[in-house]
Amino acid sequence: MDDPLERLLTPAALEDPSAVYADLRDNSPVYWHQGIDSWIVSRFDDCALVMKDDARFACDERRFEGTASQSVGIPVELLSLQSLDPPESGPLRSLLARGLRAQITREFERNLAARVERVVSRRAGREFDFVAEFTVPIVLGSIEEILGVEPMEPSWFSGIADAVTAAMDSPLRPELHEPGVAARGVLSEMVEGWFSQPPSGGLLGYLAKNRDSEKVDRRILVNSVRAILHAGYESMNSAVNLAMAALLDAPGGLAALPDGRSDPALQELVRFTSPVRIEGRVPLADTVLGGQRITAGSFVTMIIGAANRDPARFERPDELDLARTGNPHLGLGRGPHACIGTQLALTQMRVVFATLARLRPTAALVGRPDYRCTATIRGIDRMVVAFD
């Protein structure tokens, strides 16, 4: 347990990682992790630099070879918006960004609020698992509406999505890789079927009508929609659950959230909880980070959660301050790989928590949440909540 990354997976750190984050920043801000063959970076300034500087740090590992060949073992079937860099990613990102923005409508917000109201009304006056009985149906219903597809069976889909999420930790847990590949294949097959017979509405309907305008590779577009499906469910699931836990732990609980509509409050919840807390890049040339010489072609792993608690950048970083302003956190990315669904994610959080704060301002935790034993995506497996 001398390894800080391993210590992130201990029960105490799963619930409150602040001590491990501080140890990383203070004692090992840039260090070589032999087990995963990567540099680990945890201070805000270093992480922000790596995220923003796509000329020196690549998501697309093929760029290290100076060519778009398959020489580093990345077949086109695995390429998506998440792995491509500018300028290659430009047309695809533009198409998907326009398509996602088109889904943020008054009708979408009304439908989401109505789903929340229905779930809340069925659970009045009793204790229940907020994750399984609230967040899963709410978030899954939203991503289905965003894509324009028919409802999926929640327990089946969540099992597939969780396997993909767990596989993101495969550098630490190699046994998770193959199940993750198999689960990703299931999602790819499902998305391919949607593209073969696209719906008339939602993001898929938009892409069917507008794909030719940007001349994007169909295989990469399918992969990108698969990534949006997974992130739109899994990252949003984590964001809602972690935000709920943080709010119910804070003085005032849900009633302290300013009508659920304060963008600074929502941004602070993302900073404080950091649902997506690990990202990686490949340096294209020898460089220096935190006084360490980083060779070209090695891997750099950023601990976003630690950067978002850096006292060099944030005052009282381990406190949840819903009135915090000037909050340049990295929880939604930065630079050319900033989260393409940021506006949609914040809209969903605003509607969900505005509705909860209005209907159940005195909601309370019953016991402590069971945190998911994952490093890359922080989350909660079970959280018992009481609605009055």
Side-chain angles (χ1 to χ4, degrees):
M1 284 303 166
D2 289 338
D3 174 22
L5 288 189
E6 290 286 351
R7 280 192 280 118
L8 278 176
L9 299 177
T10 60
L14 289 172
E15 178 164 359
D16 180 6
S18 57
V20 181
Y21 290 164
D23 183 38
L24 277 165
R25 291 189 310 265
D26 295 344
N27 301 311
S28 307
V30 180
Y31 79 100
W32 178 253
H33 192 293
Q34 191 69 36
I36 66 172
D37 293 327
S38 176
W39 290 95
I40 307 298
V41 180
S42 52
R43 288 179 178 166
F44 179 90
D45 286 346
D46 293 329
C47 290
L49 172 65
V50 173
M51 281 186 163
K52 290 188 294 185
D53 192 349
D54 66 300
R56 280 196 292 165
F57 297 94
C59 271
D60 189 345
E61 298 176 32
R62 299 173 303 164
R63 289 177 60 201
F64 177 62
E65 299 293 318
T67 174
S69 71
Q70 310 303 314
S71 57
V72 294
I74 305 178
V76 69
E77 287 78 11
L78 297 182
L79 294 175
S80 72
L81 182 64
Q82 291 178 320
S83 58
L84 295 179
D85 289 329
E88 187 177 3
S89 62
L92 176 61
R93 186 176 182 88
S94 175
L95 175 65
L96 289 171
R98 293 197 307 270
L100 286 171
R101 282 197 301 270
Q103 310 316 310
I104 308 174
T105 64
R106 294 287 187 185
E107 181 182 9
F108 173 76
E109 294 186 31
R110 285 194 297 269
N111 291 343
L112 176 53
R115 279 195 295 272
V116 173
E117 290 174 359
R118 286 195 298 271
V119 172
V120 167
S121 67
R122 294 170 188 156
R123 285 152 184 84
R126 71 178 180 89
E127 300 174 1
F128 67 99
D129 178 9
F130 186 83
V131 177
E133 298 182 53
F134 179 89
T135 310
V136 168
I138 293 297
V139 171
L140 184 57
S142 288
I143 193 62
E144 290 164 348
E145 182 175 353
I146 289 163
L147 293 175
V149 299
E150 293 297 317
M152 294 173 276
E153 204 285 312
S155 61
W156 171 83
F157 181 80
S158 62
I160 297 295
D162 288 351
V164 175
T165 297
M168 295 177 182
D169 286 357
S170 57
L172 283 172
R173 301 285 186 271
E175 69 276 9
L176 300 174
H177 175 71
E178 288 302 325
V181 170
R184 187 174 59 195
V186 172
L187 294 184
S188 293
E189 184 177 351
M190 183 166 62
V191 174
E192 183 65 55
W194 292 338
F195 269 86
S196 298
Q197 294 183 305
S200 58
L203 177 62
L204 286 162
Y206 181 93
L207 295 177
K209 298 181 183 76
N210 295 278
R211 180 170 71 90
D212 291 342
S213 66
E214 296 290 358
K215 297 182 174 60
V216 298
D217 186 298
R218 185 182 185 277
R219 293 169 296 179
I220 297 177
L221 183 60
V222 169
N223 294 340
S224 299
V225 170
R226 183 201 67 222
I228 288 171
L229 166 64
H230 179 261
Y233 171 78
E234 199 73 37
S235 297
M236 200 67 216
N237 187 311
S238 293
V240 170
N241 291 328
L242 291 168
M244 184 68 166
L247 286 167
L248 296 188
D249 261 343
L254 282 175
L257 191 62
D259 299 325
R261 294 187 291 272
S262 164
D263 278 342
L266 298 175
Q267 294 283 358
E268 171 67 353
L269 284 165
V270 174
R271 180 202 70 83
F272 183 77
T273 61
S274 294
V276 179
R277 63 174 172 181
I278 293 181
E279 287 196 33
R281 299 287 192 275
V282 176
L284 301 177
D286 291 355
T287 188
V288 174
L289 282 174
Q292 297 284 352
R293 184 169 181 81
I294 312 293
T295 57
S298 57
F299 204 73
V300 173
T301 297
M302 297 167 285
I303 311 299
I304 306 305
N308 281 342
R309 300 286 191 95
D310 191 339
R313 187 62 187 84
F314 301 97
E315 186 177 354
R316 306 183 316 280
D318 292 323
E319 294 181 20
L320 178 67
D321 179 2
L322 297 176
R324 189 185 298 272
T325 57
N327 190 350
H329 67 82
L330 305 177
L332 295 167
R334 186 72 67 86
H337 284 278
C339 175
I340 194 172
T342 291
Q343 184 180 357
L344 189 55
L346 292 175
T347 296
Q348 291 180 80
M349 290 184 70
R350 183 162 50 248
V351 172
V352 166
F353 286 107
T355 308
L356 283 173
R358 174 171 55 84
L359 297 176
R360 293 292 182 269
T362 59
L365 282 175
V366 179
R368 302 305 304 164
D370 295 330
Y371 284 81
R372 181 177 297 178
C373 190
T374 50
T376 305
I377 305 291
R378 187 169 177 243
I380 296 175
D381 278 331
R382 177 177 169 80
M383 177 169 58
V384 180
V385 169
F387 282 170
D388 55 9

